[in-house]
């Protein structure tokens, strides 16, 4: 599955044939068909695997992180790890040629990721880490838009920026906007990361 993801993320979904996938994976096409009936079933399994991995990660973050700020950093790096290597063409072709799977991703974004972000904001406010005057639905949606923009770094005026560096910059911007003055000093110290030079 990992090799299939690598190839699809790089070249998109439409142009990659099962023969090319077999060669890339170093196996026979027959071996692929022993596990998947066709290309659609393979892509379906890939998307569902990505969704479930991310869902489990979000569920575990509150227990693993020291605070809500660290949670957001952890969520940022997990997002980049899961999706950051995908070329924009992958998402374009997923939406165009596999609309049912695309809709499942959209539902996951609204029903799981958005709910997680709202919960993070509500807990942060209760703990005195985030500002009390936040418009929670708006801020959560803004964060979703930030995450989606990480998948298209070429749209920035700095075309050479990597997905990781863009994610760090956007997350820092987001956290400075929602934390209390007292907590701003904890934004970078809450997780050990290095900006790319």
């Amino acid at each position: 599955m990992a090799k299939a993801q690598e190839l699809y993320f790089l070249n998109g979904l439409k142009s990659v044939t099962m023969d090319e996938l077999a060669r890339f994976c170093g196996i026979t096409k027959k071996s692929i068909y022993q596990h998947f009936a066709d290309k659609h079933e393979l892509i379906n399994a890939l998307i569902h695997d990505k969704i479930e991995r991310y869902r489990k990660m979000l569920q575990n973050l509150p227990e693993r992180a020291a605070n809500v700020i660290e949670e957001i950093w952890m969520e940022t790096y997990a997002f980049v790890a899961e999706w950051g290597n995908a070329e924009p063409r992958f998402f374009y072709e997923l939406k165009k040629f596999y609309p049912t799977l695309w809709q499942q991703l959209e539902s996951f974004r609204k029903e799981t990721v958005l709910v997680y972000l709202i919960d993070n904001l509500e807990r942060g406010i209760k703990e005195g880490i985030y500002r009390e005057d936040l418009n929670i639905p708006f801020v959560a949606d803004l964060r979703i838009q930030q995450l989606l923009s990480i998948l298209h770094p070429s749209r920035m005026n700095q075309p050479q920026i990597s997905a990781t560096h863009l994610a760090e910059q956007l997350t820092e911007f987001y956290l400075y906007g929602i934390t209390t003055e007292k907590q701003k000093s904890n934004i970078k110290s809450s997780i050990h990361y290095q900006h790319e030079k």
Side-chain angles (χ1 to χ4, degrees), residues 57-76 116-117 119-130 171 174-175 178-180 182-193:
M57 183 277 300
L58 290 178
Q59 289 173 344
N60 293 331
L61 278 184
E63 295 179 4
R64 293 174 51 210
N67 54 54
V68 290
I69 294 175
E70 186 173 285
E71 264 188 60
I72 293 299
W73 281 119
M74 293 170 74
E75 180 262 343
T76 298
Y116 163 77
L117 291 169
D119 177 70
N120 177 273
L121 288 164
E122 290 175 343
R123 283 185 289 114
I125 291 171
K126 287 180 182 177
E127 294 168 9
I129 295 174
Y130 297 155
T171 299
Y174 171 76
L175 289 170
I178 65 176
T179 53
T180 64
K182 184 179 179 180
Q183 292 291 330
K184 290 190 188 304
S185 61
N186 294 325
I187 290 174
K188 288 187 178 180
S189 63
S190 65
I191 192 166
H192 302 291
Y193 78 100

Side-chain angles (χ1 to χ4, degrees), residues 23-67:
R23 282 195 299 273
F24 186 76
C25 295
I27 59 176
T28 64
K29 189 164 66 169
K30 182 178 179 181
S31 297
I32 297 176
Y33 284 123
Q34 287 177 341
H35 299 280
F36 305 101
D38 52 28
K39 182 177 179 179
H40 187 278
E41 187 174 307
L42 173 59
I43 294 170
N44 185 74
L46 171 64
I47 296 301
H48 282 115
D49 179 66
K50 301 293 285 182
I51 287 174
E52 286 309 306
R53 284 166 54 93
Y54 204 71
R55 187 194 314 276
K56 289 177 182 177
M57 183 277 300
L58 290 178
Q59 289 173 344
N60 293 331
L61 278 184
E63 295 179 4
R64 293 174 51 210
N67 54 54

Side-chain angles (χ1 to χ4, degrees), residues 2 4 18 20 26 30 59 75 81 89-90 96 101 112 124 134 138 167 174 177 183 188:
M18 295 297 266
E20 289 171 326
K30 182 178 179 181
Q59 289 173 344
E75 180 262 343
R89 175 173 37 181
F90 172 84
K96 183 175 182 179
L101 289 177
T112 303
L134 295 177
F138 173 79
Y174 171 76
Q183 292 291 330
K188 288 187 178 180

